[in-house]
Structures are given as C-alpha cells and as structure tokens.
Amino acid sequence: MPSKRMQTLLKQLVEHGIQDQHVLQAIAAVPREHFVDEALSHQAYDNTALPIGAGQTISQPYTVARMTELLHLTPDSRVLEIGTGSGYQTAVLAHIVSHVYSVERIKSLQWQAKRRLKQLDLHNVSTRHSDGWEGWKVRGPFDAIIVTAAPAEIPEALVEQLADGGRMVLPVGEQNQSQSLQLVERHGDNITVTTIEPVRFVPLVKGDLA
C-alpha cells in the first residue's frame, strides 16, 4: 500500500491528466526520497523539481510521468535515457521496460545513480559516462529515447538512433528562454515533431565531465 504522501502525489498526477496505469504504478513503486538529499526528503512527494547538486535537478513527478507516458512504452521497449541525473527517471523507466540504457556526462552523478539503483535492486539498467549529445550508438537503435535536459535544437545523432516506429521525448530551447516539450516520431525516413507543452529544464551541455 503506497504511503499517504505517495497516494496524494498519485492523485495529483491523475488530476493533471496522467492516465497510463503502467506509468502510475512505476511512480508508486519508486521511493522518490531515495533520490534527493536527506535535508530535502520532506519535499520528496511534492510535485516540484528539487536540486541534486552539480547544477542539476530532479524533475517534478508530473514531468517524469508525462514524458514517460508520451513514449508509449511496452515491456519489450529498448529505452535510451540522456541525463541519468539522480537516477529517479531511470528507476521509473526500469519498472516498465526490460532494459534502460542511460548516459550521464557528470561522473559523480552517474556513480551516485548507479549506487541508488543497485540499492533498490534495479539491475536492468546500463549506465555510461559520456556526452549525451552523442547518444549510445552501439546499443541502438532504440524504441524510445528520453532526454532530461534541454538542447537548443534536437540532436541529430539521437534522431538517427531512433528505431523505425520509435518515439523521442525531449525539452527544446535555450536556458532562460521559452522551452517546449517535443515529441519526435520516426516512420522510416519520415520524422515528425509535435510540440506538447511549455517546460523548464537545465541545458543539455556538450562534452563529458570527470
């Protein structure tokens, strides 16, 4: 039985339009306080983004749920995540699909996320310390790609790593300017882009950090 705080959060997500039961079940299965600093644990089930260090944030639960829902995941989906961050979004994905491939450019965040996922017995995740703009070509193509930081434009390398029929969800736009959540769909050589809603994310920076 989910805690009272979790039940309140799930109710808010449904009220905000989240309908996919697999997504809601995954959110319910992941203890968000496990992914934030202990000093912020009392805010873990607020529907808000929180700082995780290194200038990065853990996205608000609604954003995590919305982006995950837009991917139309199945248990067989091969998913690439760009921006492991705290590992929270990774954990939600790992409860839905058989395997998640996650790229993080900040080494300290990658290691912290790996430790947290292991503590939760989530072993269907492969992480990599690398430049997210480049994706993870040798593991592709992917049925779904989720990007948890905002590039100024859609990275071409990620579009190329989408499988036929694949979907990519990402925020696009410069920091401190208007950003929008966009859905990229691939059907053969035909690529369509749909703008979903306004969002606010940290920038997707090129290169990797030790």
Side-chain angles (χ1 to χ4, degrees):
M1 186 74 176
S3 68
K4 190 169 183 179
R5 288 198 300 167
M6 177 66 84
Q7 289 178 19
T8 300
L9 174 59
L10 293 172
K11 184 170 181 284
Q12 289 177 339
L13 295 179
V14 172
E15 288 171 351
H16 281 82
I18 304 301
Q19 299 177 349
D20 189 318
Q21 290 302 308
H22 296 295
V23 174
L24 292 168
Q25 289 167 11
I27 295 281
V30 178
R32 194 168 181 250
E33 71 274 12
H34 189 70
F35 296 89
V36 300
D37 189 273
E38 193 174 343
L40 297 173
S41 61
H42 65 288
Q43 293 179 264
Y45 293 97
D46 294 350
N47 191 23
T48 185
L50 296 169
I52 60 171
Q56 305 299 300
T57 59
I58 179 173
S59 294
Q60 70 177 118
Y62 166 75
T63 303
V64 170
R66 181 73 167 125
M67 292 177 74
T68 306
E69 186 174 65
L70 285 165
L71 292 175
H72 291 184
L73 299 173
T74 70
D76 296 328
S77 297
R78 290 171 51 81
V79 181
L80 173 64
E81 177 189 36
I82 302 300
T84 315
S86 69
Y88 176 67
Q89 172 75 78
T90 322
V92 171
L93 294 168
H95 276 279
I96 302 173
V97 304
S98 59
H99 206 90
V100 181
Y101 299 89
S102 188
V103 177
E104 174 55 57
R105 67 179 289 272
I106 301 174
K107 188 73 172 177
S108 61
L109 293 182
Q110 182 212 4
W111 280 104
Q112 287 173 18
K114 280 182 72 170
R115 177 176 52 80
R116 289 168 176 148
L117 294 167
K118 186 177 181 181
Q119 288 171 346
L120 293 177
D121 285 329
L122 292 172
H123 302 291
N124 58 332
V125 177
S126 299
T127 66
R128 182 187 189 198
H129 174 234
S130 186
D131 181 353
W133 280 80
E134 302 301 322
W136 200 338
K137 189 174 181 180
V138 297
R139 297 293 191 180
F142 300 97
D143 304 302
I145 300 177
I146 184 168
V147 185
T148 61
E153 69 276 339
I154 298 171
E156 190 59 39
L158 299 184
V159 176
E160 291 172 359
Q161 290 171 39
L162 261 187
D164 188 12
R167 297 163 73 90
M168 173 165 61
V169 176
L170 74 168
V172 178
E174 301 277 1
Q175 192 178 25
N176 300 322
Q177 295 183 20
S178 62
Q179 296 177 350
S180 61
L181 190 62
Q182 298 190 6
L183 171 64
V184 180
E185 298 175 85
R186 178 176 207 135
H187 298 284
D189 293 329
N190 186 35
I191 307 295
T192 60
V193 181
T194 306
T195 298
I196 304 298
E197 60 192 53
V199 288
R200 188 170 183 176
F201 278 79
V202 297
L204 183 67
V205 180
K206 290 186 178 181
D208 52 28
L209 287 178

